[in-house]
Amino acid sequence: MQSYQETRRVHRALIIGGGIAGPATALALRRAGIDSVVYEAHRESIDDIGALLAIAPNGLAALRILGADGALQALGQPIRTMVIADGRGKKIGEFPGLAGLPPSLAVSRSQFAGALRGQAVAEGIRFECGKRLVAADEATDGVVARFADGSTATGDILIGADGIRSVVRTVIDPRAPEPVRVPLLNFGAVANVGVDARTDAMHFVFGDGGFFGYWLQADGRTAWFSNLPSATLMTSAEARAVPADRWLQRLRDAYAHDEPARTVLRHTAADQLVVLGSMEIMPSLPHWHRGRIVLVGDSAHAPSSSSGQGASLAIESAVELARCLRDIPDTTGAFVAYERLRRSRVERVAARAAKTNHGKALGPTARTFMRLLMPIATRTFLNPERTLGAEQRYRIDWSELVV
Ligand SMILES: Cc1cc2nc3c(=O)[nH]c(=O)nc-3n(C[C@H](O)[C@H](O)[C@H](O)COP(=O)(O)OP(=O)(O)OC[C@H]3O[C@@H](n4cnc5c(N)ncnc54)[C@H](O)[C@@H]3O)c2cc1C
């Protein structure tokens, strides 16, 4: 009987994008016995956006397969409970983490990406920065990546881990749908003020101004994010073209009657404000792969930041892609199996996030109505196990053979 090493035909992968999915895929491929090089568009660092995110228990479990959970545990702040309140500070409901699962970990996106990259480099994986992919051509025996600086690279397969505005996605399918913008503007920062809260609780406030999330950091400051309803849809570049102090004033006006948002925003400096533009969600993609080229992470399935699952799903997909390439010798068969294992899972998460976004984007009258209904909902049908159980209890068995 042949082992998978004897039958496998992929030896060298080109990974486009060094954010979260890129280094996670490189680490997973290494465990499957496949070499890779990561090509990142940015020159020096990948921390273009200082957003904060949470890695859910399923993401942590996938990281454990890569031996990268330790780095996250060292950086992350454990979040054991979610508290829902109105803008007057009245608690509407509290949901402890799901029984038997470790807490989610809140972490700076750039620090987390840096840690993953550091681990990949320590394991001998090569990163090339300043390499922006502009095209890719397939030949019968390989694929050639073409970069903006005129250089090229050749590999057996090419993996697009190049995020929600993926170029690789358009190489696979020039008519692939683009990300859809949701009528919510995304902002975040860390304020130089503490709030009266536990450090292991994430707070979600449905206030007059809209949705406002925050948590108290161990350093006594308050991390926060806002999803401000806005019919004007903006890319992050368009939103960043507006001076930060104007955005801050708009946020202060919107949350003028909500606490602790009002206090937190008063202690937020304009130069600390992270302006991300309209929230984006990837519609279902008709094609995840073509020939020797495949997508992983946000390029294939960005479920919007409301899901709290984008990074966790990206890591899961990295692991599953490597497992399929490990076990299925023909590339097309491996990509088909990968899509079969992943598509329904990521689309279910995106569907839940879309419902959450709908609630956050309500107008003032509907918001008031929702606030009135919330206390009943949290006592009756809002059941965390039913809503989040399947997402957070999901585990990949690395030792199981993909057939
Ligand atoms: C405000 C906000 C909050 C979020 N909160 C959460 C959360 O709580 N939990 C969670 O799990 N997820 C969250 N997410 C989502 C999470 O950040 C993404 O799902 C995750 O970063 C996806 O990783 P990725 O590697 O696929 O894409 P990215 O992190 O976007 O990385 C893509 C990389 O590819 C590079 N690149 C792009 N184009 C090219 C090119 N042509 N050539 C070479 N390189 C290229 C980019 O420079 C970048 O480094 C949030 C996102 C936002 C915006």
Side-chain angles (χ1 to χ4, degrees):
M1 199 175 97
Q2 287 181 305
S3 73
Y4 68 80
Q5 272 94 353
E6 288 159 344
T7 55
R8 182 170 39 72
R9 291 186 203 133
V10 172
H11 298 283
R12 181 182 153 93
L14 310 176
I15 298 175
I16 309 303
I20 290 173
T25 304
L27 287 166
L29 290 178
R30 163 73 34 119
R31 276 144 188 79
I34 299 171
D35 287 336
S36 64
V37 181
V38 180
Y39 298 91
E40 166 56 43
H42 286 177
R43 288 227 156 266
E44 295 294 332
S45 80
I46 47 171
D47 52 353
D48 61 326
I49 294 175
L52 296 153
L53 52 79
I55 302 295
N58 53 297
L60 188 65
L63 278 175
R64 196 167 302 121
I65 294 171
L66 308 181
D69 52 318
L72 175 64
Q73 304 265 19
L75 289 170
Q77 178 177 344
I79 301 293
R80 295 177 209 284
T81 186
M82 285 185 296
V83 180
I84 299 179
D86 68 17
R88 310 282 171 272
K90 184 170 163 241
K91 190 156 104 179
I92 297 172
E94 176 159 359
F95 302 110
L98 301 182
L101 293 186
S104 293
L105 291 158
V107 67
S108 134
R109 185 168 175 255
S110 57
Q111 280 184 358
F112 176 50
L116 275 181
R117 176 185 169 170
Q119 171 154 351
V121 170
E123 291 192 15
I125 293 160
R126 206 168 89 223
F127 269 70
E128 291 202 20
C129 291
K131 295 285 178 189
R132 179 171 295 279
L133 184 99
V134 288
D137 307 315
E138 278 194 78
T140 43
D141 58 346
V143 56
V144 180
R146 302 193 182 282
F147 300 101
D149 63 2
S151 62
T152 59
T154 308
D156 298 317
I157 58 169
L158 183 142
I159 300 172
D162 52 344
I164 196 162
R165 309 235 143 251
S166 172
V167 170
V168 179
R169 189 169 61 225
T170 58
V171 171
I172 290 175
D173 176 7
R175 288 185 305 189
E178 288 287 303
V180 172
R181 296 198 191 101
V182 176
L184 291 165
L185 289 170
N186 253 334
F187 302 91
V190 178
N192 291 317
V193 69
V195 286
D196 181 16
R198 284 166 34 189
T199 54
D200 63 353
M202 178 97 57
H203 295 257
F204 299 127
V205 179
F206 290 86
D208 287 352
F211 179 83
F212 191 84
Y214 68 93
W215 68 96
L216 180 64
Q217 295 192 154
D219 65 6
R221 299 188 303 155
T222 305
W224 64 266
F225 58 98
S226 153
N227 303 142
L228 196 66
S230 169
T232 310
L233 303 177
M234 299 176 107
T235 63
S236 62
E238 285 165 350
R240 278 185 241 179
V242 176
D245 53 356
R246 281 211 353 233
W247 282 127
L248 195 54
Q249 194 51 53
R250 177 152 166 206
L251 286 161
R252 286 174 178 161
D253 292 343
Y255 293 104
H257 304 291
D258 293 338
E259 282 293 357
R262 197 169 74 100
T263 306
V264 166
L265 288 164
R266 220 176 43 234
H267 289 87
T268 298
D271 62 359
Q272 296 297 305
L273 189 67
V274 179
V275 179
L276 294 160
S278 299
M279 190 184 281
E280 293 184 312
I281 188 163
M282 257 326 283
S284 175
L285 277 190
H287 306 289
W288 282 29
H289 56 88
R290 179 174 61 78
R292 295 172 174 272
I293 308 177
V294 67
L295 301 173
V296 67
D298 271 10
S299 59
H301 51 68
S304 99
S305 53
S306 283
S307 69
Q309 278 285 349
S312 296
L313 291 182
I315 300 160
E316 283 182 7
S317 288
V319 171
E320 286 292 40
L321 177 59
R323 207 163 69 89
C324 292
L325 287 163
R326 177 195 69 184
D327 295 346
I328 298 177
D330 103 87
T331 306
T332 305
F335 291 170
V336 168
Y338 158 68
E339 182 178 341
R340 171 172 50 77
L341 287 171
R342 296 302 294 157
R343 188 184 272 279
S344 59
R345 168 155 175 79
V346 301
E347 291 189 351
R348 269 198 301 272
V349 176
R352 176 183 65 78
K355 277 193 208 151
T356 308
N357 289 337
H358 183 69
K360 288 177 175 178
L362 294 174
T365 315
R367 271 208 299 275
T368 306
F369 185 62
M370 194 176 95
R371 267 205 307 278
L372 293 173
L373 280 181
M374 270 282 204
I376 305 163
T378 54
R379 282 198 302 273
T380 52
F381 62 84
L382 263 187
N383 175 328
E385 184 63 53
R386 204 165 52 211
T387 314
L388 302 174
E391 282 179 20
Q392 297 197 356
R393 294 191 187 282
Y394 188 85
R395 297 292 177 271
I396 298 167
D397 183 353
W398 177 253
S399 63
E400 192 190 336
L401 200 72
V402 182
V403 285

